[in-house]
Amino acid sequence: MLAAVAAVPRERFVAPGDVERAWDNRALGIACGQTISQPLVVARMCEALAPAPGARVLDVGTGSGYHAAVLAALGADVVSVEIVPELSVQAAANLAAAGIDGIELVVGDGRAGHPPRAPYDGICVAATADREIPRALLDQLASGGRLVAPIRSGRRERLVLVTRDAGGALARQDLDEVRFVPLV
Ligand code: SAH
């Protein structure tokens, strides 16, 4: 995990004025009022997702492309969906500048998942859903698959890990308290 984080040049994914601060353990602003997630939170989510090499992973909320890049550094086969076209274009440029290829970027509403490549061994969501994980995402989770997403209930916002067992049943576990932008 730490090797994957160290392998991705985070400074390529932040705004030009933030290069000096790129590795601070905090979220930083990118374009369109969005943020690049805090490095420790990306690491924590990747750890909970635990993708095996070659695992098919859906990343919802491409943003800067940083989280997708760390997943790819872990050996996952990543498809990443972003709702703001401009951010997806910038993420493509960031990934190219970082010398990372093989990530499929899709512009669309990640609440619908990405059916063409479903089911996914891993799904990670970088924007907070209100109370419920979108049904389409759970439906696109493979047997043995793991989903990590921030969920808000009332004033609390926490990461949840949902696993689907070999029989198809879903189980949910609460992880850390976090703060993300809303899933829109
Ligand atoms: N993973 C990103 C963090 C991005 S912040 C990174 O490493 O930089 C969350 C992102 O989710 C924002 O870019 C926002 O535009 C996007 N987003 C919000 N709602 C979405 C939706 N319904 N579908 C896809 N992306 C969404």
Coordinates of all heavy atoms in Angstrom, one line a residue, residues 101-163:
D101 N -0.6 4.9 -17.6 CA -1.6 4.6 -18.6 C -2.5 3.4 -18.3 O -2.2 2.8 -17.2 CB -1.0 4.5 -20.0 CG 0.1 3.5 -20.0 OD1 0.2 2.7 -19.1 OD2 0.9 3.6 -21.0
G102 N -3.5 3.1 -19.1 CA -4.3 2.0 -18.8 C -5.5 2.2 -18.0 O -6.3 1.3 -17.7
I103 N -5.7 3.4 -17.5 CA -6.9 3.7 -16.8 C -8.0 4.3 -17.7 O -7.7 5.1 -18.5 CB -6.7 4.8 -15.7 CG1 -5.7 4.2 -14.7 CG2 -8.0 5.3 -15.0 CD1 -5.3 5.2 -13.6
E104 N -9.2 3.7 -17.7 CA -10.3 4.1 -18.6 C -11.0 5.2 -17.9 O -11.6 5.0 -16.8 CB -11.2 2.9 -18.9 CG -12.3 3.3 -19.9 CD -13.3 2.2 -20.1 OE1 -13.0 1.0 -19.8 OE2 -14.4 2.5 -20.7
L105 N -11.1 6.4 -18.5 CA -11.9 7.5 -17.9 C -13.2 7.7 -18.6 O -13.2 7.7 -19.8 CB -11.1 8.8 -18.0 CG -9.7 8.9 -17.3 CD1 -9.0 10.2 -17.5 CD2 -9.9 8.6 -15.8
V106 N -14.3 7.8 -17.8 CA -15.6 7.9 -18.4 C -16.3 9.1 -17.8 O -16.1 9.4 -16.6 CB -16.4 6.6 -18.0 CG1 -17.9 6.7 -18.5 CG2 -15.8 5.3 -18.5
V107 N -17.0 9.9 -18.6 CA -17.7 11.0 -18.1 C -19.2 10.6 -18.0 O -19.8 10.0 -18.9 CB -17.7 12.2 -19.1 CG1 -18.6 13.3 -18.6 CG2 -16.2 12.8 -19.2
G108 N -19.7 10.7 -16.8 CA -21.1 10.3 -16.5 C -21.4 10.4 -15.1 O -20.6 10.8 -14.3
D109 N -22.7 10.0 -14.8 CA -23.1 10.0 -13.4 C -22.8 8.6 -12.8 O -23.3 7.6 -13.1 CB -24.7 10.2 -13.4 CG -25.2 10.2 -11.9 OD1 -24.4 10.0 -11.0 OD2 -26.4 10.5 -11.8
G110 N -21.8 8.7 -11.9 CA -21.3 7.5 -11.2 C -22.3 6.8 -10.3 O -22.1 5.7 -9.9
R111 N -23.4 7.5 -10.0 CA -24.4 6.8 -9.2 C -25.0 5.6 -10.0 O -25.6 4.7 -9.4 CB -25.5 7.8 -8.8 CG -25.1 8.8 -7.8 CD -26.1 9.8 -7.5 NE -26.5 10.5 -8.7 CZ -27.3 11.5 -8.8 NH1 -27.9 12.0 -7.7 NH2 -27.5 12.1 -10.0
A112 N -24.9 5.7 -11.3 CA -25.4 4.6 -12.1 C -24.3 3.5 -12.4 O -24.5 2.5 -13.1 CB -25.9 5.1 -13.5
G113 N -23.1 3.7 -11.8 CA -22.0 2.8 -12.0 C -21.5 2.9 -13.4 O -21.6 4.0 -14.1
H114 N -21.0 1.8 -13.9 CA -20.6 1.8 -15.3 C -20.9 0.4 -15.8 O -20.0 -0.5 -15.8 CB -19.1 2.2 -15.5 CG -18.6 2.2 -16.9 ND1 -19.2 3.1 -17.8 CD2 -17.7 1.5 -17.5 CE1 -18.6 2.9 -19.0 NE2 -17.7 2.0 -18.8
P115 N -22.1 0.1 -16.3 CA -22.6 -1.2 -16.6 C -21.7 -2.0 -17.7 O -21.5 -3.2 -17.5 CB -24.0 -1.0 -17.1 CG -24.4 0.2 -16.5 CD -23.2 1.1 -16.3
P116 N -21.1 -1.3 -18.7 CA -20.4 -2.0 -19.7 C -19.3 -2.9 -19.2 O -18.9 -3.9 -19.8 CB -19.8 -0.9 -20.6 CG -20.7 0.3 -20.4 CD -21.2 0.2 -19.0
R117 N -18.7 -2.6 -18.0 CA -17.6 -3.4 -17.5 C -17.9 -4.1 -16.2 O -17.0 -4.7 -15.6 CB -16.3 -2.5 -17.4 CG -15.9 -1.9 -18.8 CD -14.5 -1.5 -18.9 NE -13.5 -2.4 -18.5 CZ -12.3 -2.1 -18.1 NH1 -11.9 -0.8 -18.1 NH2 -11.4 -3.0 -17.8
A118 N -19.2 -4.0 -15.8 CA -19.6 -4.7 -14.6 C -19.6 -6.2 -14.8 O -19.7 -6.7 -16.0 CB -21.0 -4.2 -14.2
P119 N -19.5 -7.0 -13.8 CA -19.3 -6.7 -12.4 C -17.9 -6.3 -12.0 O -17.0 -6.7 -12.6 CB -19.8 -7.9 -11.6 CG -19.4 -9.0 -12.5 CD -19.5 -8.5 -13.9
Y120 N -17.8 -5.6 -10.9 CA -16.5 -5.1 -10.4 C -16.1 -5.8 -9.1 O -16.9 -6.1 -8.2 CB -16.6 -3.6 -10.1 CG -16.9 -2.8 -11.3 CD1 -18.2 -2.5 -11.6 CD2 -15.9 -2.5 -12.2 CE1 -18.5 -1.8 -12.8 CE2 -16.2 -1.8 -13.4 CZ -17.5 -1.5 -13.7 OH -17.7 -0.8 -14.9
D121 N -14.8 -6.1 -9.0 CA -14.2 -6.8 -7.8 C -14.1 -5.7 -6.7 O -14.1 -6.0 -5.5 CB -12.8 -7.3 -8.1 CG -12.9 -8.3 -9.2 OD1 -13.7 -9.3 -9.2 OD2 -12.1 -8.1 -10.2
G122 N -14.0 -4.5 -7.1 CA -13.9 -3.4 -6.2 C -14.6 -2.1 -6.7 O -14.5 -1.9 -7.9
I123 N -15.2 -1.4 -5.8 CA -15.8 -0.1 -6.2 C -15.5 0.9 -5.1 O -15.6 0.6 -3.9 CB -17.4 -0.2 -6.3 CG1 -17.8 -1.2 -7.4 CG2 -18.0 1.2 -6.6 CD1 -19.3 -1.4 -7.6
C124 N -14.9 2.0 -5.5 CA -14.6 3.0 -4.5 C -15.2 4.3 -4.9 O -15.2 4.7 -6.1 CB -13.1 3.1 -4.2 SG -12.2 4.1 -5.2
V125 N -15.8 5.0 -4.0 CA -16.6 6.2 -4.2 C -16.0 7.3 -3.4 O -15.7 7.2 -2.2 CB -18.1 6.0 -3.8 CG1 -18.9 7.2 -4.1 CG2 -18.7 4.7 -4.4
A126 N -15.7 8.5 -4.1 CA -15.0 9.6 -3.5 C -15.9 10.8 -3.2 O -15.4 11.9 -3.0 CB -13.8 10.0 -4.3
A127 N -17.2 10.6 -3.2 CA -18.2 11.6 -2.9 C -19.3 11.0 -2.0 O -19.6 9.9 -2.2 CB -18.7 12.2 -4.2
T128 N -19.8 11.8 -1.1 CA -20.7 11.3 -0.1 C -22.1 11.1 -0.5 O -22.8 12.1 -1.0 CB -20.6 12.1 1.2 OG1 -19.3 12.2 1.6 CG2 -21.5 11.6 2.3
A129 N -22.7 9.9 -0.4 CA -24.1 9.7 -0.7 C -24.9 9.9 0.6 O -24.4 9.7 1.7 CB -24.3 8.3 -1.2
D130 N -26.1 10.4 0.4 CA -27.0 10.6 1.6 C -27.7 9.3 2.0 O -28.5 8.8 1.3 CB -28.0 11.7 1.2 CG -28.7 12.3 2.5 OD1 -28.0 12.2 3.5 OD2 -29.8 12.7 2.4
R131 N -27.3 8.8 3.1 CA -27.8 7.6 3.8 C -27.6 6.2 3.0 O -27.2 5.3 3.6 CB -29.3 7.7 4.1 CG -29.5 8.7 5.3 CD -30.9 8.8 5.7 NE -31.7 9.4 4.7 CZ -31.9 10.7 4.5 NH1 -31.3 11.5 5.5 NH2 -32.5 11.2 3.6
E132 N -28.0 6.2 1.7 CA -27.9 5.0 1.0 C -26.9 4.9 -0.1 O -26.7 5.9 -0.8 CB -29.3 4.8 0.3 CG -30.5 4.7 1.2 CD -30.6 3.5 2.0 OE1 -30.0 2.4 1.5 OE2 -31.2 3.5 3.0
I133 N -26.2 3.8 -0.2 CA -25.3 3.6 -1.3 C -26.2 3.4 -2.6 O -27.1 2.6 -2.5 CB -24.4 2.4 -1.1 CG1 -23.5 2.7 0.1 CG2 -23.6 2.0 -2.3 CD1 -22.9 1.4 0.7
P134 N -25.9 4.1 -3.7 CA -26.8 3.9 -4.8 C -26.9 2.4 -5.2 O -25.9 1.7 -5.3 CB -26.1 4.7 -5.9 CG -25.3 5.8 -5.2 CD -24.9 5.1 -3.9
R135 N -28.1 2.0 -5.4 CA -28.5 0.6 -5.7 C -27.6 0.0 -6.9 O -27.2 -1.1 -6.9 CB -30.0 0.5 -6.0 CG -30.5 -0.9 -6.2 CD -30.7 -1.5 -4.8 NE -30.0 -2.8 -4.9 CZ -29.8 -3.6 -3.8 NH1 -30.2 -3.2 -2.6 NH2 -29.1 -4.7 -3.9
A136 N -27.5 0.9 -7.9 CA -26.8 0.4 -9.1 C -25.3 0.0 -8.8 O -24.8 -1.0 -9.4 CB -26.8 1.5 -10.2
L137 N -24.7 0.7 -7.8 CA -23.4 0.3 -7.5 C -23.3 -1.0 -6.8 O -22.5 -1.9 -7.1 CB -22.8 1.4 -6.6 CG -22.6 2.8 -7.3 CD1 -22.0 3.8 -6.3 CD2 -21.7 2.6 -8.5
L138 N -24.3 -1.3 -5.9 CA -24.3 -2.6 -5.2 C -24.6 -3.7 -6.2 O -24.0 -4.8 -6.1 CB -25.4 -2.6 -4.1 CG -25.2 -1.6 -3.0 CD1 -26.4 -1.5 -2.0 CD2 -23.9 -1.9 -2.2
D139 N -25.5 -3.4 -7.2 CA -25.8 -4.4 -8.2 C -24.6 -4.8 -9.1 O -24.6 -5.8 -9.6 CB -26.9 -3.9 -9.1 CG -28.3 -3.8 -8.4 OD1 -28.4 -4.4 -7.3 OD2 -29.2 -3.2 -8.9
Q140 N -23.7 -3.8 -9.2 CA -22.5 -4.1 -10.0 C -21.3 -4.6 -9.3 O -20.2 -4.7 -9.8 CB -22.1 -2.8 -10.8 CG -23.2 -2.4 -11.8 CD -23.0 -1.1 -12.5 OE1 -21.9 -0.6 -12.7 NE2 -24.1 -0.4 -12.8
L141 N -21.5 -5.0 -8.0 CA -20.4 -5.6 -7.2 C -20.4 -7.1 -7.4 O -21.4 -7.8 -7.2 CB -20.7 -5.2 -5.7 CG -19.5 -5.4 -4.8 CD1 -18.3 -4.6 -5.1 CD2 -20.0 -5.1 -3.3
A142 N -19.2 -7.6 -7.8 CA -19.1 -9.1 -8.1 C -19.1 -9.9 -6.7 O -18.9 -9.3 -5.7 CB -17.8 -9.3 -8.7
S143 N -19.4 -11.2 -6.9 CA -19.2 -12.0 -5.7 C -17.8 -11.9 -5.2 O -16.9 -12.0 -6.0 CB -19.5 -13.5 -6.1 OG -20.9 -13.6 -6.3
G144 N -17.6 -11.8 -3.9 CA -16.3 -11.6 -3.4 C -15.8 -10.2 -3.5 O -14.7 -9.9 -3.1
G145 N -16.6 -9.3 -4.0 CA -16.3 -7.9 -4.3 C -16.4 -7.0 -3.0 O -17.1 -7.4 -2.1
R146 N -15.7 -5.9 -3.0 CA -15.7 -5.0 -1.9 C -15.9 -3.6 -2.4 O -15.4 -3.2 -3.4 CB -14.3 -5.0 -1.2 CG -13.9 -6.4 -0.7 CD -12.5 -6.5 -0.4 NE -12.1 -5.8 0.8 CZ -12.2 -6.3 2.1 NH1 -12.8 -7.5 2.2 NH2 -11.8 -5.7 3.1
L147 N -16.8 -2.9 -1.7 CA -17.1 -1.5 -2.1 C -16.8 -0.6 -0.8 O -17.2 -0.9 0.3 CB -18.6 -1.4 -2.4 CG -19.2 0.0 -2.7 CD1 -20.4 -0.1 -3.7 CD2 -19.7 0.7 -1.4
V148 N -16.1 0.5 -1.1 CA -15.9 1.5 0.0 C -16.4 2.8 -0.4 O -16.2 3.3 -1.5 CB -14.3 1.7 0.2 CG1 -14.1 2.6 1.4 CG2 -13.7 0.3 0.5
A149 N -17.3 3.4 0.4 CA -17.9 4.7 0.1 C -18.2 5.5 1.4 O -18.5 4.9 2.4 CB -19.2 4.4 -0.6
P150 N -18.1 6.8 1.3 CA -18.6 7.7 2.4 C -20.1 7.8 2.3 O -20.7 8.1 1.3 CB -17.8 9.0 2.1 CG -17.6 9.0 0.7 CD -17.6 7.6 0.1
I151 N -20.7 7.7 3.5 CA -22.2 7.8 3.6 C -22.5 8.8 4.7 O -21.9 8.7 5.8 CB -22.8 6.4 4.0 CG1 -22.5 5.4 2.9 CG2 -24.3 6.5 4.2 CD1 -23.1 5.6 1.6
R152 N -23.4 9.7 4.4 CA -23.9 10.6 5.4 C -25.1 10.2 6.1 O -26.1 9.7 5.4 CB -24.1 12.0 4.8 CG -24.8 13.0 5.7 CD -24.9 14.4 5.1 NE -23.6 15.0 4.8 CZ -22.8 15.5 5.7 NH1 -23.2 15.5 7.0 NH2 -21.7 16.0 5.4
S153 N -25.2 10.2 7.4 CA -26.5 10.1 8.0 C -26.6 11.1 9.1 O -25.8 11.2 10.0 CB -26.7 8.7 8.6 OG -25.7 8.3 9.4
G154 N -27.5 12.1 8.9 CA -27.6 13.2 9.8 C -26.3 14.0 9.6 O -25.9 14.4 8.5
R155 N -25.6 14.4 10.8 CA -24.4 15.2 10.7 C -23.2 14.3 10.6 O -22.1 14.8 10.4 CB -24.3 16.1 11.9 CG -25.4 17.1 12.0 CD -25.0 18.4 12.5 NE -24.2 18.4 13.7 CZ -24.7 18.3 15.0 NH1 -26.0 18.3 15.1 NH2 -23.9 18.3 16.0
R156 N -23.4 13.0 10.6 CA -22.2 12.1 10.6 C -21.9 11.6 9.2 O -22.8 11.4 8.4 CB -22.5 10.9 11.4 CG -22.8 11.2 12.9 CD -22.5 10.0 13.7 NE -21.2 10.0 14.3 CZ -20.7 9.1 15.2 NH1 -21.3 8.0 15.4 NH2 -19.5 9.3 15.7
E157 N -20.6 11.6 8.9 CA -20.2 11.1 7.6 C -19.1 10.1 7.8 O -18.1 10.4 8.5 CB -19.7 12.3 6.8 CG -19.5 12.1 5.4 CD -19.0 13.4 4.7 OE1 -19.4 14.5 5.1 OE2 -18.3 13.3 3.7
R158 N -19.4 8.8 7.4 CA -18.3 7.9 7.6 C -18.1 6.9 6.4 O -19.0 6.8 5.6 CB -18.5 7.1 8.9 CG -19.8 6.4 9.1 CD -19.7 5.5 10.4 NE -19.5 6.1 11.6 CZ -18.4 6.1 12.4 NH1 -17.4 5.4 12.0 NH2 -18.4 6.7 13.6
L159 N -16.9 6.3 6.4 CA -16.7 5.4 5.3 C -17.3 4.1 5.7 O -17.3 3.7 6.8 CB -15.2 5.1 5.2 CG -14.3 6.1 4.5 CD1 -12.8 5.7 4.6 CD2 -14.7 6.3 3.0
V160 N -18.0 3.4 4.7 CA -18.5 2.1 5.0 C -17.9 1.1 4.0 O -17.5 1.5 2.8 CB -20.0 2.0 4.9 CG1 -20.7 2.9 5.9 CG2 -20.5 2.3 3.5
L161 N -17.7 -0.1 4.4 CA -17.2 -1.1 3.6 C -18.3 -2.1 3.4 O -18.9 -2.6 4.3 CB -16.0 -1.8 4.2 CG -15.5 -3.1 3.6 CD1 -14.9 -2.9 2.2 CD2 -14.4 -3.8 4.5
V162 N -18.7 -2.4 2.1 CA -19.7 -3.4 1.8 C -19.0 -4.5 1.1 O -18.3 -4.3 0.1 CB -20.8 -2.8 0.9 CG1 -21.8 -3.9 0.6 CG2 -21.5 -1.6 1.7
T163 N -19.3 -5.7 1.6 CA -18.7 -6.9 0.9 C -19.8 -7.8 0.4 O -20.9 -7.9 1.0 CB -17.8 -7.7 1.8 OG1 -18.5 -8.0 3.0 CG2 -16.5 -6.9 2.2

